[in-house]
Amino acid sequence: MTSRRPALTLAACAFALAIPFVYAVARLIQARIAPEPDPALVVWSTRIGMYWRIAIGGYAGALVAPMAYAWARRDLDGATGALVVAVPVTALAIALQAVFVP
Amino acid sequence: MSTFALRLVERLHGHLGWLAVLALVHPAVLLARPKRRARLAVVLATALVTLVGALGTVLYPPYRNTLKQRLFVQTPTIGWMFERKEHLAVGAIALAWVGCAAHLALPSFPEKTRERVARVAHLSFVSSAILAATAAALGVTVSLYTTF
């Protein structure tokens, strides 16, 4: 068993990484399934999509964080290895989403 | 919020945004060496980019209510640039948090995983700086076309 602090750190990192990753996925799903009205035709929609996507990302992050904590307590090596991969993947996901599905 | 206050916050957001880009580049460069400690640079850069994001959050509803439609009618390309900027900013802030958490907690990790965690911090700040710089460049482009 790993001590608590490294596991908590990895949980916090997983929480923070989940926000932009889920944000990008949510935007992609929204664009495919239920696209927003053309901004040139409506003054504003009732909800601010960006805030909702951040909230959904935060919710997903809150679900992922305890799992990351449990994983890090059991196998810190594996969990840190996954985090090394997750950082560029998340950065790439949000960048590609911003370019192709703004 | 009055127009004057909106313009003031908008300009603060823009100028601090570029400062945040520079502040993020600093740890991105320093942390290339895994043993290097740069707590102050990391904390200040993360705090600054978070503050800029908070100012952007304050500005978004007035932008949406007063400028967005006009921008999309006149120059849709610039309108979409603004949307892209918002997405990239979310990524830049979150990745800065990851880098900050990883770097500050580094001494608590066992020796054999420390190098990997240092790599996480470095990668996070590099990614954050790239996303923030792109967002800032898009922000400047948008500001050439419209303002409060």
Side-chain angles (χ1 to χ4, degrees):
Chain A
M1 274 284 198
T2 311
S3 65
R4 275 190 182 172
R5 192 154 178 229
L8 279 173
T9 304
L10 290 198
C13 289
F15 171 79
L17 276 180
I19 296 173
F21 187 81
V22 172
Y23 179 103
V25 172
R27 178 72 189 109
L28 195 67
I29 292 170
Q30 184 197 10
R32 290 281 170 267
I33 295 174
E36 285 176 330
D38 184 350
L41 300 177
V42 292
V43 178
W44 65 73
S45 53
T46 49
R47 294 190 299 188
I48 298 180
M50 183 179 70
Y51 292 177
W52 274 86
R53 286 189 293 274
I54 291 171
I56 291 167
Y59 179 76
L63 294 177
V64 167
M67 289 190 263
Y69 177 80
W71 185 11
R73 289 276 278 176
R74 263 191 309 114
D75 175 18
L76 190 64
D77 257 2
T80 49
L83 203 60
V84 173
V85 176
V87 168
V89 166
T90 303
L92 199 63
I94 195 88
L96 288 175
Q97 175 262 308
V99 171
F100 295 110
V101 195
Chain B
M1 208 187 288
S2 69
T3 308
F4 173 76
L6 281 172
R7 283 184 182 162
L8 188 68
V9 177
E10 182 194 45
R11 275 150 187 75
L12 262 177
H13 177 64
H15 291 295
L16 289 177
W18 277 106
L19 281 179
V21 171
L22 293 176
L24 287 167
V25 168
H26 189 204
V29 172
L30 290 180
L31 301 184
R33 283 188 295 149
K35 292 196 188 304
R36 182 75 158 84
R37 295 289 164 269
R39 289 195 188 94
L40 189 63
V42 159
V43 169
L44 288 178
T46 307
L48 190 56
V49 76
T50 305
L51 172 69
V52 173
L55 289 176
T57 307
V58 170
L59 285 172
Y60 195 81
Y63 155 77
R64 194 179 68 124
N65 298 350
T66 58
L67 299 177
K68 188 175 179 179
Q69 189 187 34
R70 182 155 49 93
L71 189 60
F72 272 91
V73 168
Q74 290 171 351
T75 47
T77 309
I78 301 296
W80 289 116
M81 267 188 191
F82 188 95
E83 298 300 311
R84 286 188 171 95
K85 173 181 102 73
E86 300 305 301
H87 305 315
L88 295 174
V90 170
I93 294 167
L95 285 163
W97 286 351
V98 172
C100 185
H103 186 71
L104 292 182
L106 200 54
S108 69
F109 280 82
E111 193 64 43
K112 62 175 184 171
T113 51
R114 226 172 262 179
E115 197 165 323
R116 267 190 196 165
V117 180
R119 195 152 168 244
V120 166
H122 179 236
L123 278 173
S124 300
F125 277 107
V126 169
S127 311
S128 178
I130 292 170
L131 294 178
T134 313
L138 291 175
V140 170
T141 311
V142 173
S143 72
L144 296 174
Y145 284 85
T146 190
T147 184
F148 285 108

